Amino acid sequence: MKLKYIGLAAAITLSFLSCSNDDKYIGGSIMGGETEMSSIYPAPPSQWMGGDEPYYSAGYTGDVMPYYEDGTWHIYFLHDAINKPAGKGFHDIHEYSTTNLSTFTYEGQRIPYGGQDEPDFGVGTGSMVKVGSTYYFYYSGHNEIAAFMANNPRESVLLATSTDMKTWTKQPSFKITAPAGYYDYDFRDPQVFQNPDDGKYWMLVSTQTDPSRKAVLLKFTTTDPASGNWVPEGPLYTTTPEDSYLMMECADVFKMGSYWYMMFSENWSGNKGTHYRMATSINGPWTKPVNDLIDGEYYYAAKTASDGSKRYAFGWAARKAPENDTGGREWAGNLVIHELVQNSDGTLATKAPDAVSTLFTQNTPVTMESSTGTVTESNGGYTLNSTSGTAMATFGAAGKKVRIGAQLSLTNATGAAGFYFNVSDNTYYKVVLEPAQNRIAAYNSNGDLVTRMPLVISQGTAYNIDIIADGSVCVVYINGKVALTNRIYGRDQQKWGIIATGGATASVTGLQVLKP
C-alpha cells in the first residue's frame, strides 16, 4: 500500500471508464463468475460481479501478494477500482489464478474492505501462510477518517482466515498496532513466513521509528499463528543514513541457495523502485549490492513466490495520469512477473518467465519502411551512425502482443542507441543504452527521463535485447539479466524502430519480430 496514493481511489472519476484498446480482454462474463484473460500483463476486466453486493470490476492491479500451492499460483492483489461508489472503502483484495504465469483467470473479490468505522476501510498489502488446514491472511488496515482516528491508529495489521483460499472470514478480535517507539500512522504491509532456522513464524511490518522517523522493518514472531500471540522483537533492518528512506514498503524475505534476500519498495527518494539487500544469515548483516534494483521505477511493490524450482517477482507496471505518453506515474496498473536468477556472486538478475517467452512462436517478416540520417542495411543487419545527426530505421506497427529481439552493439562511448516507439505520427518514446552513464534509460516524447536501470556497457560488445510488449506495457530485458518496464500508450498502433543519437554508432543484428 502506498502512502501517497492511499486516498486516490476516491478521486477517480467516470472519465477513466474508457480504457484504451490496449487493455481490453477477450472473454468474460457479464454478471459474476470467473474470467479467462488473454493478457500476459493483466488488469481486472470490466464486468459486474458479486452476489449480495455487486461491484463493477474494472480497475487496475495494485500491490501483489503471490502464493503457490499444488501447481497453481494464487495471485492476490489490491484492486484499484476505476469507479468507486461514494462513501465506500477501497483497495479490497482480489485474485488472479494461473498454472503457467502466462494465461490468467480473474477470480474476483476475495477480501472486501470494511465500513467507515472499521480499521480496514482501506485495505493494504499483506501475505498468507498455511498452518495445518487453515490459511492465515494478514493484511493492512487503513482508515484516516477523523471520527475513526479519534480513538484508533490510522494503520494496523489485521487477519482473515480460510480453509479453501476462496471464502475468507475476517477475525475482528485480531489486531496488531505499532508498539511503543514506532509510528502507528505508518504501520503496514505484514509479510509472514516460517523461518526454517528457528521454526518460528516471522512477521515483518513496514513502519518508522518514533519520533526519529527512520524507516524500519519491524519483526514479530510466534510459534503458533492460531494463538494470535505475536511478540515484537525489534527491527530486522533499519534504513541507513546513506539511503535515509522514508518507508520500506511491501517487504519480502526469502532464501535462494546460500543467500537470504530482503526486498522492499521505496517511492520517495531519487532512486524509486523495488530494492533488495542480501545476507548469509536471516539476522544479517544485510549488504547493499552495487545495483540493488529489481527493475526501474515503473515497476513497483514486487513480492516473490517460488514453485520449489524457480522464484518469481510479482509487481505492477505503473499506469500514467492522464493516460498518455507524458502523463505522470500513477499508483497501480498491470501485473508484471519477472523470473529471479541468482548470479555467481549471489546478486539477483531478472528475465522473462519461460512461459511468457515461449508464447511467441510466429516469426514475422521485418522490412524497413523508411530511414532518417545515416542508416545502412546489409544482410538483415543495420548500422546507424549519428555523427551528423539522429539516425533512425523505421518499421511498421508491431501490434498488441509482440516480442522483438536483436543484438545491439555500440562502437563508441558517445551518445545513445536503442529502440523507439511512436506514440503518435510525430512523437516517440525511446529506450536506449547510454554508455557514458552505464545505464539503459527511457525517455518520453518530451525528452523527459522516465525510468532507468544501471547497466555496464562496453564498446563492441553485443547486448541481447528482448522486448516483450502487450498493449501499453513494454518490458525490455537485456542479456536475460536486467529488466526495464515501460508504459507506452499507443505503441501497438504506431510504427517503431531502431535509433542512434548524440554521435553514437551502433549495429543491430538478428532483428526478429515474433507474434503469439
Side-chain angles (χ1 to χ4, degrees):
M1 184 164 57
K2 185 177 177 185
L3 174 68
K4 181 178 179 181
Y5 298 110
I6 193 65
L8 181 64
I12 296 175
T13 69
L14 286 170
S15 64
F16 288 108
L17 274 175
S18 297
C19 296
S20 71
N21 288 333
D22 293 343
D23 299 316
K24 299 294 186 187
Y25 296 100
I26 298 172
S29 58
I30 300 300
M31 185 66 186
E34 60 189 26
T35 302
E36 300 292 338
M37 296 187 296
S38 65
S39 178
I40 57 176
Y41 302 129
S46 301
Q47 61 187 37
W48 282 98
M49 298 186 74
D52 296 336
E53 190 169 354
Y55 58 92
Y56 194 61
S57 61
Y60 302 99
T61 304
D63 297 355
V64 184
M65 299 152 275
Y67 184 82
Y68 178 84
E69 184 176 278
D70 296 335
T72 298
W73 301 88
H74 300 271
I75 305 172
Y76 299 94
F77 65 96
L78 301 184
H79 179 263
D80 193 28
I82 291 177
N83 178 30
K84 189 178 78 65
K88 296 290 187 180
F90 51 90
H91 293 175
D92 41 339
I93 294 175
H94 290 218
E95 181 191 354
Y96 304 122
S97 64
T98 178
T99 58
N100 57 21
L101 299 179
S102 61
T103 57
F104 300 86
T105 299
Y106 173 63
E107 305 283 1
Q109 185 188 73
R110 291 305 193 203
I111 301 178
Y113 44 72
Q116 295 189 12
D117 59 348
E118 295 179 295
D120 58 352
F121 181 69
V123 176
T125 308
S127 65
M128 185 172 70
V129 65
K130 184 181 182 182
V131 182
S133 59
T134 301
Y135 299 92
Y136 295 79
F137 204 129
Y138 298 89
Y139 64 98
S140 306
H142 175 103
N143 190 337
E144 59 183 290
I145 296 174
F148 177 85
M149 290 185 61
N151 298 298
N152 298 279
R154 188 180 73 150
E155 294 189 335
S156 54
V157 174
L158 306 174
L159 171 66
T161 57
S162 174
T163 56
D164 62 4
M165 290 189 282
K166 296 178 181 178
T167 302
W168 292 90
T169 302
K170 294 183 181 180
Q171 304 296 330
S173 62
F174 182 92
K175 184 178 182 180
I176 299 177
T177 56
Y182 298 94
Y183 193 36
D184 63 9
Y185 193 81
D186 290 307
F187 184 80
R188 57 183 179 265
D189 304 345
Q191 176 67 19
V192 177
F193 59 98
Q194 188 175 28
N195 179 3
D197 294 344
D198 64 10
K200 293 182 179 179
Y201 293 88
W202 286 34
M203 176 189 293
L204 303 180
V205 180
S206 300
T207 184
Q208 300 172 355
T209 56
D210 187 25
S212 58
R213 299 286 188 273
K214 294 182 184 298
V216 300
L217 297 180
L218 188 60
K219 170 186 164 187
F220 297 75
T221 65
T222 186
T223 56
D224 182 11
S227 71
N229 182 30
W230 288 87
V231 179
E233 298 197 9
L236 179 66
Y237 184 75
T238 303
T239 186
T240 64
E242 173 194 16
D243 293 326
S244 191
Y245 293 138
L246 179 64
M247 284 288 286
M248 296 181 290
E249 299 187 301
C250 305
D252 186 13
V253 170
F254 57 91
K255 191 175 186 181
M256 290 177 67
S258 57
Y259 285 96
W260 284 92
Y261 298 91
M262 174 193 297
M263 282 175 47
F264 57 85
S265 292
E266 192 282 329
N267 198 42
W268 295 271
S269 73
N271 199 26
K272 301 177 179 65
T274 299
H275 301 254
Y276 76 96
R277 302 290 182 264
M278 51 192 292
T280 55
S281 166
I282 192 172
N283 295 307
W286 296 91
T287 59
K288 179 181 179 180
V290 173
N291 171 26
D292 73 326
L293 285 167
I294 298 298
D295 194 332
E297 67 179 79
Y298 265 71
Y299 182 77
Y300 196 75
K303 300 184 81 167
T304 75
S306 171
D307 59 4
S309 175
K310 297 180 178 179
R311 184 167 288 275
Y312 300 89
F314 299 73
W316 46 262
R319 68 186 193 277
K320 294 181 177 180
E323 293 188 348
N324 58 47
D325 185 56
T326 56
R329 186 173 60 97
E330 191 55 273
W331 194 86
N334 296 68
L335 171 69
V336 173
I337 303 169
H338 299 316
E339 180 183 337
L340 294 179
V341 180
Q342 195 174 44
N343 295 316
S344 58
D345 62 356
T347 57
L348 294 177
T350 50
K351 63 186 286 286
D354 291 340
V356 172
S357 297
T358 56
L359 278 177
F360 298 88
T361 58
Q362 304 300 316
N363 210 332
T364 302
V366 180
T367 303
M368 184 172 68
E369 290 191 350
S370 63
S371 65
T372 301
T374 305
V375 177
T376 304
E377 180 180 8
S378 178
N379 298 322
Y382 302 85
T383 300
L384 295 86
N385 187 331
S386 64
T387 304
S388 302
T390 297
M392 306 168 73
T394 303
F395 308 92
K400 184 176 184 296
K401 278 193 178 72
V402 67
R403 181 182 181 191
I404 301 173
Q407 292 77 51
L408 171 65
S409 60
L410 293 97
T411 57
N412 57 4
T414 303
F419 289 76
Y420 78 93
F421 305 91
N422 274 20
V423 295
S424 70
D425 289 341
N426 301 312
T427 59
Y428 60 83
Y429 182 105
K430 65 181 179 181
V431 183
V432 292
L433 304 187
E434 297 180 326
Q437 290 82 21
N438 274 324
R439 69 183 184 182
I440 178 171
Y443 297 83
N444 67 16
S445 55
N446 281 344
D448 300 325
L449 177 64
V450 174
T451 182
R452 64 190 187 279
M453 278 289 288
L455 176 70
V456 176
I457 300 171
S458 302
Q459 299 172 49
T461 297
Y463 292 87
N464 290 316
I465 310 296
D466 188 13
I467 301 171
I468 298 178
D470 188 352
S472 57
V473 178
C474 179
V475 184
V476 180
Y477 295 96
I478 304 97
N479 288 346
K481 297 286 188 181
V482 174
L484 189 70
T485 295
N486 301 269
R487 177 72 68 178
I488 312 174
Y489 294 109
R491 175 208 58 79
D492 57 325
Q493 299 172 29
Q494 298 290 334
K495 298 179 180 180
W496 63 280
I498 50 181
I499 184 171
T501 64
T505 300
S507 64
V508 176
T509 59
L511 187 60
Q512 190 177 41
V513 175
L514 296 170
K515 300 291 185 66

